[in-house]
Amino acid sequence: MITILKNKKDIPQGKKYIELNDIFFNQNTAGKLDDRAAQFIEKIDNSKLLSKYKIRSRFDDITLNIDQLSTGCKTVLNVFYYPDKVFCLKECGNNALEVLYGFEKGFVYSEYAMIPFEMDPVEVQTLGGKKVIDDYEELKEWWENED
């Protein structure tokens, strides 16, 4: 399950933190896209992956470069293709969060609560240890009260 971090000091040593998902995606992830990316692009941005670097937008069926995906979608794809890095959640909407919280692996960071209403169990991590949370209210309380 996805691991959530809320303090930068909790990022495990040796794990790289990525704040700017757009830039990381454009420089790294875009070149790794394959058929597995299509489901995320469809679900989050309602667009269709046409080729490695082209999508068909939901707006007037216009063909766009892959860098025109939403930052939330790019964040999901970053976590999917690089589950060993820690990615910032700040630019994710609820649709992207719902997908991310369903991942079996990966690391995300936000100092404030970012929780989809429909959530799968997640692992939270602090310097004090890890625990699994599967309830919206419990996760919100952890984010607000845990140091």
Side-chain angles (χ1 to χ4, degrees):
M1 69 188 68
I2 196 88
T3 300
I4 301 171
L5 307 159
K6 73 171 208 163
N7 292 306
K8 285 187 178 173
K9 69 179 191 277
D10 297 329
I11 295 173
Q13 196 156 3
K15 290 224 179 279
K16 184 169 181 168
Y17 171 61
I18 309 298
E19 177 93 21
L20 303 172
N21 283 294
D22 247 316
I23 293 170
F24 186 88
F25 176 88
N26 293 342
Q27 292 177 347
N28 300 280
T29 309
K32 292 186 126 204
L33 296 184
D34 55 26
D35 292 338
R36 299 174 298 169
Q39 66 180 318
F40 304 123
I41 292 169
E42 176 103 19
K43 184 169 179 121
I44 298 166
D45 281 0
N46 291 328
S47 297
K48 181 173 175 60
L49 182 64
L50 299 175
S51 66
K52 195 168 198 163
Y53 299 107
K54 298 288 182 188
I55 58 170
R56 178 172 296 125
S57 171
R58 67 178 179 216
F59 303 109
D60 298 326
D61 283 335
I62 297 171
T63 299
L64 299 170
N65 289 330
I66 199 77
D67 68 341
Q68 297 300 305
L69 289 170
S70 69
T71 304
C73 189
K74 289 179 179 183
T75 302
V76 167
L77 292 166
N78 286 342
V79 173
F80 182 77
Y81 287 99
Y82 293 92
D84 58 323
K85 298 188 183 324
V86 179
F87 292 93
C88 181
L89 283 180
K90 290 179 184 175
E91 298 175 297
C92 289
N94 204 51
N95 56 349
L97 291 172
E98 286 177 4
V99 172
L100 271 175
Y101 278 42
F103 278 8
E104 292 192 22
K105 57 185 175 177
F107 291 83
V108 292
Y109 162 81
S110 177
E111 66 266 8
Y112 52 85
M114 297 197 61
I115 310 167
F117 292 114
E118 299 292 324
M119 65 170 272
D120 290 51
V122 296
E123 184 173 76
V124 295
Q125 180 174 330
T126 62
L127 289 178
K130 300 178 183 182
K131 72 178 181 177
V132 175
I133 297 177
D134 63 359
D135 177 73
Y136 177 92
E137 290 298 327
E138 185 181 353
L139 183 57
K140 184 177 175 190
E141 184 178 322
W142 171 82
W143 232 308
E144 292 172 353
N145 299 317
E146 190 74 25
D147 287 328

